[in-house]
Amino acid sequence: MPKTVKLTTPLTDEDVSKLNIGDTVLLSGIIYTGRDAAHKRLVDLIEQGKELPIELKGQVMYYVGPAPAPPGKPIGSAGPTTSYRMDSLTTQLLERGLKASIGKGPRGQNVIDSMEKNKAVYLAAVGGAAALIAKSIKKAEIIAYEDLGAEAIRKLEVEDFPCIVANDIYGNDLYKEGVAKYEIRN
Amino acid sequence: MREIKANQITEIVKKLCMDANFYLPEDVIDTIKQAKEKEESQTGKDVFDMILQNIEISESEKLPLCQDTGFAVFFIELGQEVHIIGGNFVDAINDGVRQGYKEGYLRKSIVDDPVIDRINTKDNTPAVIYTDIVPGDKVKITFAPKGGGSENMSTVKMLKAADGIEGVKDFVVDFVKNAGGNPCPPTIVGIGLGGTFDKVAQIAKKALLRPIGSRNPNPKYSEVEKELLERINKTGVGPMGLGGRVTALDVHIETYPCHIATMPVAINIQCHCCRHKEAII
């Protein structure tokens, strides 16, 4: 049966080993944001053997391009963006110790295989639930690639950020299994 | 001739940009509530709960429903007895977008060049504007911000006349199934049939503006809408693609006459966050 698990970052192998597809995760602690352009820069640095602007070991990457922060709020609406755009750039980050990514939509087989190998999970956040998710973000600061605007890397402090385990470390994929369970064939 | 000032249009557009991004239409909210009752998957029910909580928070805190506040798309019905004074009509709309996206703290998502430079215009302009000249002395402005995620899961295909209505149905169901969780289901599926290569995409988008539950006036197409909704909801894709009974909230078909040699079909997918708002001057 799916369960609700509260986790605090950085995540350990033991933390992610407890998660199965369909579980709800309420995530607290520090997470980082990044989309296509920021991922490309991180992977270029890895390939050149240079130091990264963030430590990836045990960390969580959230695919989001938030709306501007209204006065008095740390961040604007901040729902997930589509993850497949990062598929060709994710395995390199998982090799460096990234423990979870958060986005929406299914991942490519290369990412699923790499998550199983590197003991990492993929968490689905609800697309469009951007105001709800923004409420769980207590602080936000840009820490790299400010020129990318909404796509810059931000350090977020979150409390009970709601997401659902879509891929666990055991190779299971809720996008495939959930759909197969409810498909009605004529 | 009735005179309407350009700055009046700018003011209305500014308000439409903000309101559409903070408040979903009632028919959409009601349909989402009904869909939650139909959903059997626990994950799907949880997704619906989060969507409904999000709607309440957006409304009370005036935060955009989705961080992707969209491409600013306008469908205008311009009465032929109207004379716009004191400025250019298109500039008036773009000025409204510029002001609305700034004052509403909405995300600016438009890049100036589509492929090579991709530099953000920083004010969400230019808008996409479709203008129909109609009888009368009023201007009806419908604003529909369109998110990039669901737009990416849209398509145009030139089918053969011999493919017939069964070919259209299979094409739509397969396409929606393959789009899976990417366009943020439960979706509204806008389908254009007929016209030309370009016209068909425009009517597919216009189909998204129809109230949920409304049917094509032609009973033959109305039946196809109902059948497609049923078949799409049998795919199992479910809320956010995580499996469930509710994949689409509705299917809307719009048609236009076409050439004897062609049968254009367009599918424009709208995420559950089906934002649109209109004003009449």
Side-chain angles (χ1 to χ4, degrees), chain A residues 31-36 39 61-67 75-82 85-86 102-103 130 133 137 149-154 156 161, chain B residues 67 107:
Chain A
I31 65 173
Y32 295 94
T33 73
R35 296 179 25 145
D36 325 33
H39 270 67
M61 181 68 86
Y62 178 31
Y63 307 140
V64 60
I75 200 163
S77 288
T81 196
T82 314
R85 294 197 311 267
M86 272 59 73
I102 309 174
I133 291 170
I137 301 171
E151 299 191 45
I153 294 186
R154 287 171 169 79
L156 306 182
F161 181 114
Chain B
Q67 81 291 338
R107 197 180 82 185

PDB file of all heavy atoms in Angstrom, chain A residues 31-36 39 61-67 75-82 85-86 102-103 130 133 137 149-154 156 161, chain B residues 67 107:
ATOM      1  N   ILE A  31      16.587  22.252  -1.427  1.00  0.00           N
ATOM      2  CA  ILE A  31      16.586  21.641  -2.755  1.00  0.00           C
ATOM      3  C   ILE A  31      17.053  22.697  -3.763  1.00  0.00           C
ATOM      4  O   ILE A  31      17.054  23.892  -3.451  1.00  0.00           O
ATOM      5  CB  ILE A  31      15.201  21.054  -3.168  1.00  0.00           C
ATOM      6  CG1 ILE A  31      14.137  22.143  -3.305  1.00  0.00           C
ATOM      7  CG2 ILE A  31      14.741  20.015  -2.166  1.00  0.00           C
ATOM      8  CD1 ILE A  31      12.811  21.627  -3.870  1.00  0.00           C
ATOM      9  N   TYR A  32      17.451  22.257  -4.948  1.00  0.00           N
ATOM     10  CA  TYR A  32      17.957  23.191  -5.963  1.00  0.00           C
ATOM     11  C   TYR A  32      17.054  23.165  -7.189  1.00  0.00           C
ATOM     12  O   TYR A  32      16.470  22.131  -7.513  1.00  0.00           O
ATOM     13  CB  TYR A  32      19.383  22.820  -6.375  1.00  0.00           C
ATOM     14  CG  TYR A  32      20.352  22.967  -5.239  1.00  0.00           C
ATOM     15  CD1 TYR A  32      20.672  21.877  -4.425  1.00  0.00           C
ATOM     16  CD2 TYR A  32      20.918  24.208  -4.933  1.00  0.00           C
ATOM     17  CE1 TYR A  32      21.541  22.017  -3.352  1.00  0.00           C
ATOM     18  CE2 TYR A  32      21.785  24.354  -3.856  1.00  0.00           C
ATOM     19  CZ  TYR A  32      22.091  23.256  -3.066  1.00  0.00           C
ATOM     20  OH  TYR A  32      22.940  23.406  -2.004  1.00  0.00           O
ATOM     21  N   THR A  33      16.950  24.305  -7.864  1.00  0.00           N
ATOM     22  CA  THR A  33      16.161  24.351  -9.095  1.00  0.00           C
ATOM     23  C   THR A  33      17.092  24.401 -10.299  1.00  0.00           C
ATOM     24  O   THR A  33      18.210  24.907 -10.210  1.00  0.00           O
ATOM     25  CB  THR A  33      15.253  25.598  -9.153  1.00  0.00           C
ATOM     26  OG1 THR A  33      16.057  26.757  -9.397  1.00  0.00           O
ATOM     27  CG2 THR A  33      14.474  25.787  -7.862  1.00  0.00           C
ATOM     28  N   GLY A  34      16.601  23.875 -11.409  1.00  0.00           N
ATOM     29  CA  GLY A  34      17.367  23.946 -12.652  1.00  0.00           C
ATOM     30  C   GLY A  34      16.545  23.386 -13.793  1.00  0.00           C
ATOM     31  O   GLY A  34      15.786  22.447 -13.586  1.00  0.00           O
ATOM     32  N   ARG A  35      16.677  23.996 -14.969  1.00  0.00           N
ATOM     33  CA  ARG A  35      16.000  23.475 -16.164  1.00  0.00           C
ATOM     34  C   ARG A  35      17.024  23.234 -17.262  1.00  0.00           C
ATOM     35  O   ARG A  35      18.208  23.185 -16.979  1.00  0.00           O
ATOM     36  CB  ARG A  35      14.916  24.464 -16.637  1.00  0.00           C
ATOM     37  CG  ARG A  35      13.820  24.641 -15.645  1.00  0.00           C
ATOM     38  CD  ARG A  35      12.753  25.627 -16.081  1.00  0.00           C
ATOM     39  NE  ARG A  35      12.605  25.809 -17.522  1.00  0.00           N
ATOM     40  CZ  ARG A  35      11.437  26.029 -18.122  1.00  0.00           C
ATOM     41  NH1 ARG A  35      10.334  26.060 -17.411  1.00  0.00           N
ATOM     42  NH2 ARG A  35      11.371  26.236 -19.402  1.00  0.00           N
ATOM     43  N   ASP A  36      16.579  23.103 -18.482  1.00  0.00           N
ATOM     44  CA  ASP A  36      17.436  22.716 -19.608  1.00  0.00           C
ATOM     45  C   ASP A  36      18.773  23.459 -19.652  1.00  0.00           C
ATOM     46  O   ASP A  36      19.839  22.849 -19.666  1.00  0.00           O
ATOM     47  CB  ASP A  36      16.757  22.973 -20.962  1.00  0.00           C
ATOM     48  CG  ASP A  36      15.264  22.738 -20.976  1.00  0.00           C
ATOM     49  OD1 ASP A  36      14.607  22.984 -19.953  1.00  0.00           O
ATOM     50  OD2 ASP A  36      14.761  22.337 -22.024  1.00  0.00           O
ATOM     51  N   HIS A  39      21.100  22.843 -16.730  1.00  0.00           N
ATOM     52  CA  HIS A  39      21.621  21.481 -16.802  1.00  0.00           C
ATOM     53  C   HIS A  39      22.762  21.391 -17.813  1.00  0.00           C
ATOM     54  O   HIS A  39      23.768  20.737 -17.575  1.00  0.00           O
ATOM     55  CB  HIS A  39      20.509  20.504 -17.213  1.00  0.00           C
ATOM     56  CG  HIS A  39      19.766  19.941 -16.054  1.00  0.00           C
ATOM     57  ND1 HIS A  39      18.956  20.701 -15.239  1.00  0.00           N
ATOM     58  CD2 HIS A  39      19.719  18.683 -15.545  1.00  0.00           C
ATOM     59  CE1 HIS A  39      18.439  19.931 -14.301  1.00  0.00           C
ATOM     60  NE2 HIS A  39      18.886  18.701 -14.457  1.00  0.00           N
ATOM     61  N   MET A  61      17.130  17.898  -7.199  1.00  0.00           N
ATOM     62  CA  MET A  61      17.003  18.925  -8.238  1.00  0.00           C
ATOM     63  C   MET A  61      15.541  19.038  -8.653  1.00  0.00           C
ATOM     64  O   MET A  61      14.906  18.045  -9.013  1.00  0.00           O
ATOM     65  CB  MET A  61      17.866  18.522  -9.438  1.00  0.00           C
ATOM     66  CG  MET A  61      17.860  19.488 -10.589  1.00  0.00           C
ATOM     67  SD  MET A  61      18.654  21.068 -10.217  1.00  0.00           S
ATOM     68  CE  MET A  61      20.368  20.674 -10.594  1.00  0.00           C
ATOM     69  N   TYR A  62      15.011  20.259  -8.566  1.00  0.00           N
ATOM     70  CA  TYR A  62      13.609  20.504  -8.922  1.00  0.00           C
ATOM     71  C   TYR A  62      13.555  21.263 -10.248  1.00  0.00           C
ATOM     72  O   TYR A  62      14.144  22.328 -10.369  1.00  0.00           O
ATOM     73  CB  TYR A  62      12.953  21.313  -7.794  1.00  0.00           C
ATOM     74  CG  TYR A  62      11.504  21.692  -8.033  1.00  0.00           C
ATOM     75  CD1 TYR A  62      10.643  20.888  -8.769  1.00  0.00           C
ATOM     76  CD2 TYR A  62      10.976  22.859  -7.477  1.00  0.00           C
ATOM     77  CE1 TYR A  62       9.319  21.234  -8.966  1.00  0.00           C
ATOM     78  CE2 TYR A  62       9.647  23.214  -7.661  1.00  0.00           C
ATOM     79  CZ  TYR A  62       8.823  22.391  -8.417  1.00  0.00           C
ATOM     80  OH  TYR A  62       7.516  22.746  -8.612  1.00  0.00           O
ATOM     81  N   TYR A  63      12.848  20.666 -11.230  1.00  0.00           N
ATOM     82  CA  TYR A  63      12.731  21.288 -12.544  1.00  0.00           C
ATOM     83  C   TYR A  63      11.614  22.328 -12.506  1.00  0.00           C
ATOM     84  O   TYR A  63      10.439  21.981 -12.571  1.00  0.00           O
ATOM     85  CB  TYR A  63      12.409  20.243 -13.602  1.00  0.00           C
ATOM     86  CG  TYR A  63      13.351  19.060 -13.631  1.00  0.00           C
ATOM     87  CD1 TYR A  63      12.879  17.766 -13.844  1.00  0.00           C
ATOM     88  CD2 TYR A  63      14.725  19.224 -13.455  1.00  0.00           C
ATOM     89  CE1 TYR A  63      13.727  16.677 -13.891  1.00  0.00           C
ATOM     90  CE2 TYR A  63      15.583  18.141 -13.492  1.00  0.00           C
ATOM     91  CZ  TYR A  63      15.081  16.871 -13.707  1.00  0.00           C
ATOM     92  OH  TYR A  63      15.930  15.798 -13.751  1.00  0.00           O
ATOM     93  N   VAL A  64      11.989  23.569 -12.409  1.00  0.00           N
ATOM     94  CA  VAL A  64      10.977  24.631 -12.311  1.00  0.00           C
ATOM     95  C   VAL A  64      11.529  25.941 -12.858  1.00  0.00           C
ATOM     96  O   VAL A  64      12.709  26.235 -12.742  1.00  0.00           O
ATOM     97  CB  VAL A  64      10.543  24.814 -10.832  1.00  0.00           C
ATOM     98  CG1 VAL A  64      11.713  25.186  -9.947  1.00  0.00           C
ATOM     99  CG2 VAL A  64       9.446  25.867 -10.685  1.00  0.00           C
ATOM    100  N   GLY A  65      10.648  26.706 -13.463  1.00  0.00           N
ATOM    101  CA  GLY A  65      10.969  28.088 -13.834  1.00  0.00           C
ATOM    102  C   GLY A  65       9.906  28.937 -13.158  1.00  0.00           C
ATOM    103  O   GLY A  65       8.838  29.153 -13.712  1.00  0.00           O
ATOM    104  N   PRO A  66      10.154  29.381 -11.925  1.00  0.00           N
ATOM    105  CA  PRO A  66       9.084  30.034 -11.152  1.00  0.00           C
ATOM    106  C   PRO A  66       8.641  31.372 -11.722  1.00  0.00           C
ATOM    107  O   PRO A  66       9.366  32.017 -12.468  1.00  0.00           O
ATOM    108  CB  PRO A  66       9.721  30.224  -9.769  1.00  0.00           C
ATOM    109  CG  PRO A  66      11.187  30.191 -10.002  1.00  0.00           C
ATOM    110  CD  PRO A  66      11.425  29.327 -11.196  1.00  0.00           C
ATOM    111  N   ALA A  67       7.438  31.769 -11.329  1.00  0.00           N
ATOM    112  CA  ALA A  67       6.950  33.114 -11.639  1.00  0.00           C
ATOM    113  C   ALA A  67       7.669  34.085 -10.693  1.00  0.00           C
ATOM    114  O   ALA A  67       8.178  33.679  -9.644  1.00  0.00           O
ATOM    115  CB  ALA A  67       5.441  33.167 -11.445  1.00  0.00           C
ATOM    116  N   ILE A  75       9.007  33.618  -3.222  1.00  0.00           N
ATOM    117  CA  ILE A  75       9.007  33.126  -4.602  1.00  0.00           C
ATOM    118  C   ILE A  75       7.586  33.247  -5.153  1.00  0.00           C
ATOM    119  O   ILE A  75       6.614  33.301  -4.382  1.00  0.00           O
ATOM    120  CB  ILE A  75       9.501  31.646  -4.647  1.00  0.00           C
ATOM    121  CG1 ILE A  75       9.987  31.235  -6.046  1.00  0.00           C
ATOM    122  CG2 ILE A  75       8.440  30.673  -4.119  1.00  0.00           C
ATOM    123  CD1 ILE A  75      10.840  29.978  -6.057  1.00  0.00           C
ATOM    124  N   GLY A  76       7.463  33.302  -6.478  1.00  0.00           N
ATOM    125  CA  GLY A  76       6.139  33.274  -7.095  1.00  0.00           C
ATOM    126  C   GLY A  76       5.682  31.837  -7.265  1.00  0.00           C
ATOM    127  O   GLY A  76       6.316  30.914  -6.750  1.00  0.00           O
ATOM    128  N   SER A  77       4.618  31.647  -8.012  1.00  0.00           N
ATOM    129  CA  SER A  77       4.115  30.293  -8.253  1.00  0.00           C
ATOM    130  C   SER A  77       5.227  29.435  -8.843  1.00  0.00           C
ATOM    131  O   SER A  77       6.020  29.901  -9.658  1.00  0.00           O
ATOM    132  CB  SER A  77       2.917  30.346  -9.205  1.00  0.00           C
ATOM    133  OG  SER A  77       1.809  30.884  -8.522  1.00  0.00           O
ATOM    134  N   ALA A  78       5.292  28.177  -8.407  1.00  0.00           N
ATOM    135  CA  ALA A  78       6.484  27.377  -8.718  1.00  0.00           C
ATOM    136  C   ALA A  78       6.154  25.907  -8.921  1.00  0.00           C
ATOM    137  O   ALA A  78       6.635  25.038  -8.204  1.00  0.00           O
ATOM    138  CB  ALA A  78       7.516  27.551  -7.596  1.00  0.00           C
ATOM    139  N   GLY A  79       5.348  25.601  -9.928  1.00  0.00           N
ATOM    140  CA  GLY A  79       5.019  24.209 -10.246  1.00  0.00           C
ATOM    141  C   GLY A  79       6.094  23.581 -11.125  1.00  0.00           C
ATOM    142  O   GLY A  79       6.945  24.278 -11.676  1.00  0.00           O
ATOM    143  N   PRO A  80       6.032  22.255 -11.271  1.00  0.00           N
ATOM    144  CA  PRO A  80       7.076  21.542 -12.029  1.00  0.00           C
ATOM    145  C   PRO A  80       6.949  21.738 -13.534  1.00  0.00           C
ATOM    146  O   PRO A  80       5.856  21.947 -14.048  1.00  0.00           O
ATOM    147  CB  PRO A  80       6.778  20.080 -11.688  1.00  0.00           C
ATOM    148  CG  PRO A  80       5.293  20.049 -11.492  1.00  0.00           C
ATOM    149  CD  PRO A  80       4.958  21.358 -10.820  1.00  0.00           C
ATOM    150  N   THR A  81       8.076  21.646 -14.218  1.00  0.00           N
ATOM    151  CA  THR A  81       8.052  21.649 -15.672  1.00  0.00           C
ATOM    152  C   THR A  81       8.296  20.223 -16.175  1.00  0.00           C
ATOM    153  O   THR A  81       8.632  19.332 -15.395  1.00  0.00           O
ATOM    154  CB  THR A  81       9.074  22.661 -16.232  1.00  0.00           C
ATOM    155  OG1 THR A  81       8.772  22.897 -17.608  1.00  0.00           O
ATOM    156  CG2 THR A  81      10.500  22.160 -16.116  1.00  0.00           C
ATOM    157  N   THR A  82       8.102  20.013 -17.472  1.00  0.00           N
ATOM    158  CA  THR A  82       8.193  18.674 -18.063  1.00  0.00           C
ATOM    159  C   THR A  82       9.630  18.158 -18.006  1.00  0.00           C
ATOM    160  O   THR A  82      10.559  18.834 -18.433  1.00  0.00           O
ATOM    161  CB  THR A  82       7.711  18.710 -19.522  1.00  0.00           C
ATOM    162  OG1 THR A  82       6.489  19.442 -19.566  1.00  0.00           O
ATOM    163  CG2 THR A  82       7.474  17.317 -20.062  1.00  0.00           C
ATOM    164  N   ARG A  85      12.739  16.847 -21.069  1.00  0.00           N
ATOM    165  CA  ARG A  85      13.712  17.741 -21.703  1.00  0.00           C
ATOM    166  C   ARG A  85      15.079  17.630 -21.039  1.00  0.00           C
ATOM    167  O   ARG A  85      16.089  18.003 -21.620  1.00  0.00           O
ATOM    168  CB  ARG A  85      13.226  19.193 -21.643  1.00  0.00           C
ATOM    169  CG  ARG A  85      11.974  19.459 -22.455  1.00  0.00           C
ATOM    170  CD  ARG A  85      11.807  20.951 -22.677  1.00  0.00           C
ATOM    171  NE  ARG A  85      11.952  21.689 -21.444  1.00  0.00           N
ATOM    172  CZ  ARG A  85      10.944  22.038 -20.649  1.00  0.00           C
ATOM    173  NH1 ARG A  85       9.721  21.733 -20.966  1.00  0.00           N
ATOM    174  NH2 ARG A  85      11.177  22.704 -19.537  1.00  0.00           N
ATOM    175  N   MET A  86      15.112  17.146 -19.787  1.00  0.00           N
ATOM    176  CA  MET A  86      16.381  17.025 -19.077  1.00  0.00           C
ATOM    177  C   MET A  86      16.976  15.616 -19.193  1.00  0.00           C
ATOM    178  O   MET A  86      18.052  15.349 -18.664  1.00  0.00           O
ATOM    179  CB  MET A  86      16.175  17.366 -17.587  1.00  0.00           C
ATOM    180  CG  MET A  86      16.325  18.827 -17.232  1.00  0.00           C
ATOM    181  SD  MET A  86      15.224  19.979 -18.076  1.00  0.00           S
ATOM    182  CE  MET A  86      13.658  19.653 -17.280  1.00  0.00           C
ATOM    183  N   ILE A 102      12.796  16.216  -9.239  1.00  0.00           N
ATOM    184  CA  ILE A 102      11.346  16.452  -9.141  1.00  0.00           C
ATOM    185  C   ILE A 102      10.904  17.159 -10.408  1.00  0.00           C
ATOM    186  O   ILE A 102      11.478  18.185 -10.789  1.00  0.00           O
ATOM    187  CB  ILE A 102      10.994  17.356  -7.935  1.00  0.00           C
ATOM    188  CG1 ILE A 102      11.621  16.841  -6.638  1.00  0.00           C
ATOM    189  CG2 ILE A 102       9.471  17.481  -7.784  1.00  0.00           C
ATOM    190  CD1 ILE A 102      11.423  17.769  -5.443  1.00  0.00           C
ATOM    191  N   GLY A 103       9.864  16.611 -11.036  1.00  0.00           N
ATOM    192  CA  GLY A 103       9.322  17.242 -12.239  1.00  0.00           C
ATOM    193  C   GLY A 103       7.979  16.646 -12.556  1.00  0.00           C
ATOM    194  O   GLY A 103       7.309  16.108 -11.678  1.00  0.00           O
ATOM    195  N   ALA A 130       0.942  25.181  -8.851  1.00  0.00           N
ATOM    196  CA  ALA A 130       2.110  26.035  -8.636  1.00  0.00           C
ATOM    197  C   ALA A 130       1.975  26.964  -7.436  1.00  0.00           C
ATOM    198  O   ALA A 130       2.965  27.295  -6.785  1.00  0.00           O
ATOM    199  CB  ALA A 130       2.370  26.861  -9.895  1.00  0.00           C
ATOM    200  N   ILE A 133       2.414  24.638  -4.290  1.00  0.00           N
ATOM    201  CA  ILE A 133       3.819  24.283  -4.070  1.00  0.00           C
ATOM    202  C   ILE A 133       4.596  25.500  -3.562  1.00  0.00           C
ATOM    203  O   ILE A 133       5.440  25.376  -2.665  1.00  0.00           O
ATOM    204  CB  ILE A 133       4.434  23.693  -5.362  1.00  0.00           C
ATOM    205  CG1 ILE A 133       3.801  22.318  -5.639  1.00  0.00           C
ATOM    206  CG2 ILE A 133       5.956  23.578  -5.254  1.00  0.00           C
ATOM    207  CD1 ILE A 133       4.129  21.720  -6.995  1.00  0.00           C
ATOM    208  N   ILE A 137       7.512  26.631  -0.073  1.00  0.00           N
ATOM    209  CA  ILE A 137       8.866  27.180  -0.249  1.00  0.00           C
ATOM    210  C   ILE A 137       9.028  28.378   0.682  1.00  0.00           C
ATOM    211  O   ILE A 137       8.338  29.387   0.538  1.00  0.00           O
ATOM    212  CB  ILE A 137       9.114  27.572  -1.721  1.00  0.00           C
ATOM    213  CG1 ILE A 137       8.944  26.325  -2.620  1.00  0.00           C
ATOM    214  CG2 ILE A 137      10.504  28.197  -1.895  1.00  0.00           C
ATOM    215  CD1 ILE A 137       8.947  26.614  -4.111  1.00  0.00           C
ATOM    216  N   GLY A 149      17.596  33.978 -15.777  1.00  0.00           N
ATOM    217  CA  GLY A 149      16.289  34.466 -15.316  1.00  0.00           C
ATOM    218  C   GLY A 149      15.501  33.383 -14.597  1.00  0.00           C
ATOM    219  O   GLY A 149      15.985  32.798 -13.622  1.00  0.00           O
ATOM    220  N   ALA A 150      14.290  33.099 -15.103  1.00  0.00           N
ATOM    221  CA  ALA A 150      13.437  32.079 -14.468  1.00  0.00           C
ATOM    222  C   ALA A 150      14.127  30.716 -14.442  1.00  0.00           C
ATOM    223  O   ALA A 150      13.801  29.856 -13.630  1.00  0.00           O
ATOM    224  CB  ALA A 150      12.106  31.971 -15.215  1.00  0.00           C
ATOM    225  N   GLU A 151      15.125  30.530 -15.323  1.00  0.00           N
ATOM    226  CA  GLU A 151      15.777  29.226 -15.415  1.00  0.00           C
ATOM    227  C   GLU A 151      17.099  29.147 -14.628  1.00  0.00           C
ATOM    228  O   GLU A 151      17.825  28.163 -14.734  1.00  0.00           O
ATOM    229  CB  GLU A 151      16.031  28.871 -16.886  1.00  0.00           C
ATOM    230  CG  GLU A 151      14.754  28.766 -17.694  1.00  0.00           C
ATOM    231  CD  GLU A 151      14.976  28.157 -19.055  1.00  0.00           C
ATOM    232  OE1 GLU A 151      15.685  27.146 -19.145  1.00  0.00           O
ATOM    233  OE2 GLU A 151      14.446  28.696 -20.040  1.00  0.00           O
ATOM    234  N   ALA A 152      17.407  30.170 -13.850  1.00  0.00           N
ATOM    235  CA  ALA A 152      18.650  30.166 -13.058  1.00  0.00           C
ATOM    236  C   ALA A 152      18.594  29.061 -12.004  1.00  0.00           C
ATOM    237  O   ALA A 152      17.528  28.541 -11.682  1.00  0.00           O
ATOM    238  CB  ALA A 152      18.832  31.518 -12.387  1.00  0.00           C
ATOM    239  N   ILE A 153      19.770  28.709 -11.447  1.00  0.00           N
ATOM    240  CA  ILE A 153      19.782  27.735 -10.343  1.00  0.00           C
ATOM    241  C   ILE A 153      19.490  28.466  -9.039  1.00  0.00           C
ATOM    242  O   ILE A 153      20.175  29.425  -8.671  1.00  0.00           O
ATOM    243  CB  ILE A 153      21.137  26.995 -10.257  1.00  0.00           C
ATOM    244  CG1 ILE A 153      21.329  26.133 -11.511  1.00  0.00           C
ATOM    245  CG2 ILE A 153      21.198  26.125  -9.000  1.00  0.00           C
ATOM    246  CD1 ILE A 153      22.566  25.253 -11.477  1.00  0.00           C
ATOM    247  N   ARG A 154      18.428  28.024  -8.378  1.00  0.00           N
ATOM    248  CA  ARG A 154      18.035  28.613  -7.094  1.00  0.00           C
ATOM    249  C   ARG A 154      18.206  27.584  -5.986  1.00  0.00           C
ATOM    250  O   ARG A 154      18.020  26.385  -6.216  1.00  0.00           O
ATOM    251  CB  ARG A 154      16.565  29.047  -7.133  1.00  0.00           C
ATOM    252  CG  ARG A 154      16.301  30.279  -7.965  1.00  0.00           C
ATOM    253  CD  ARG A 154      14.805  30.508  -8.138  1.00  0.00           C
ATOM    254  NE  ARG A 154      14.538  31.826  -8.704  1.00  0.00           N
ATOM    255  CZ  ARG A 154      14.655  32.130  -9.983  1.00  0.00           C
ATOM    256  NH1 ARG A 154      15.057  31.224 -10.841  1.00  0.00           N
ATOM    257  NH2 ARG A 154      14.398  33.352 -10.413  1.00  0.00           N
ATOM    258  N   LEU A 156      16.456  26.515  -2.688  1.00  0.00           N
ATOM    259  CA  LEU A 156      15.163  26.696  -2.022  1.00  0.00           C
ATOM    260  C   LEU A 156      15.177  26.007  -0.663  1.00  0.00           C
ATOM    261  O   LEU A 156      15.711  24.908  -0.531  1.00  0.00           O
ATOM    262  CB  LEU A 156      14.022  26.072  -2.833  1.00  0.00           C
ATOM    263  CG  LEU A 156      13.836  26.460  -4.302  1.00  0.00           C
ATOM    264  CD1 LEU A 156      12.606  25.745  -4.861  1.00  0.00           C
ATOM    265  CD2 LEU A 156      13.698  27.962  -4.464  1.00  0.00           C
ATOM    266  N   PHE A 161       7.165  19.880   1.077  1.00  0.00           N
ATOM    267  CA  PHE A 161       6.935  20.003  -0.369  1.00  0.00           C
ATOM    268  C   PHE A 161       6.266  18.698  -0.832  1.00  0.00           C
ATOM    269  O   PHE A 161       6.817  17.623  -0.654  1.00  0.00           O
ATOM    270  CB  PHE A 161       8.297  20.200  -1.042  1.00  0.00           C
ATOM    271  CG  PHE A 161       8.269  20.366  -2.523  1.00  0.00           C
ATOM    272  CD1 PHE A 161       8.646  21.561  -3.106  1.00  0.00           C
ATOM    273  CD2 PHE A 161       7.905  19.310  -3.358  1.00  0.00           C
ATOM    274  CE1 PHE A 161       8.653  21.717  -4.482  1.00  0.00           C
ATOM    275  CE2 PHE A 161       7.908  19.457  -4.725  1.00  0.00           C
ATOM    276  CZ  PHE A 161       8.279  20.656  -5.289  1.00  0.00           C
TER     277      PHE A 161
ATOM    278  N   GLN B  67       2.848  28.262 -12.751  1.00  0.00           N
ATOM    279  CA  GLN B  67       3.980  29.185 -12.958  1.00  0.00           C
ATOM    280  C   GLN B  67       4.168  29.513 -14.429  1.00  0.00           C
ATOM    281  O   GLN B  67       4.716  30.551 -14.771  1.00  0.00           O
ATOM    282  CB  GLN B  67       5.264  28.607 -12.352  1.00  0.00           C
ATOM    283  CG  GLN B  67       5.990  27.576 -13.193  1.00  0.00           C
ATOM    284  CD  GLN B  67       5.239  26.270 -13.307  1.00  0.00           C
ATOM    285  OE1 GLN B  67       4.391  25.960 -12.474  1.00  0.00           O
ATOM    286  NE2 GLN B  67       5.547  25.497 -14.339  1.00  0.00           N
ATOM    287  N   ARG B 107       4.893  35.103 -15.087  1.00  0.00           N
ATOM    288  CA  ARG B 107       6.184  34.752 -15.702  1.00  0.00           C
ATOM    289  C   ARG B 107       6.218  35.163 -17.167  1.00  0.00           C
ATOM    290  O   ARG B 107       5.246  34.985 -17.892  1.00  0.00           O
ATOM    291  CB  ARG B 107       6.426  33.245 -15.587  1.00  0.00           C
ATOM    292  CG  ARG B 107       7.888  32.882 -15.810  1.00  0.00           C
ATOM    293  CD  ARG B 107       8.100  31.396 -15.694  1.00  0.00           C
ATOM    294  NE  ARG B 107       7.746  30.717 -16.937  1.00  0.00           N
ATOM    295  CZ  ARG B 107       7.749  29.400 -17.091  1.00  0.00           C
ATOM    296  NH1 ARG B 107       8.051  28.616 -16.077  1.00  0.00           N
ATOM    297  NH2 ARG B 107       7.424  28.859 -18.251  1.00  0.00           N
TER     298      ARG B 107
END
